[in-house]
Amino acid sequence: KAPAAHPHYAEMVAAAVTSLKERGGSSRSAILKYILKNFNVGAEEKKINAHLKLALKAGVAKGILKQTKGTGASGSFKMGEVKAEKPKK
């Protein structure tokens, strides 16, 4: 199987949320529009939307994304808090 012509969905979501810079967080539909416009993911919007939902849920579970409104893959999303590791003595 040939490698994809786009980065992982988690990376695309992170790029979309950071570049949209919405105060209350970016909605799933806004993130989807950004990904369709800026990445070569194809034209099948249903398939892309399914992958996007999984990436959003996984991002919230890992702490990469923070959900400001809604539940599951609906609502608004911001970038999560980046935890700096403390250096060992």
Side-chain angles (χ1 to χ4, degrees):
K1 187 176 179 182
H6 56 80
H8 291 282
Y9 274 86
E11 295 171 23
M12 292 191 288
V13 168
V17 171
T18 52
S19 66
L20 290 171
K21 297 179 184 172
E22 293 182 32
R23 189 169 159 236
S26 302
S27 67
R28 183 173 49 86
S29 60
I31 295 169
L32 178 65
K33 286 177 187 175
Y34 181 88
I35 288 173
L36 287 170
K37 182 180 172 192
N38 295 303
F39 296 101
N40 184 18
V41 289
E44 290 186 55
E45 199 167 320
K46 274 188 172 181
K47 193 182 254 187
I48 297 163
N49 204 13
H51 287 290
L52 177 62
K53 286 180 184 180
L54 290 172
L56 289 172
K57 286 181 184 178
V60 171
K62 291 178 184 174
I64 298 168
L65 294 172
K66 182 179 175 186
Q67 193 163 13
T68 57
K69 294 179 193 168
T71 57
S74 64
S76 299
F77 300 89
K78 284 183 169 182
M79 291 305 293
E81 300 295 319
V82 178
K83 297 173 186 172
E85 291 184 24
K86 296 178 184 175
K88 294 182 179 180
K89 292 182 181 177

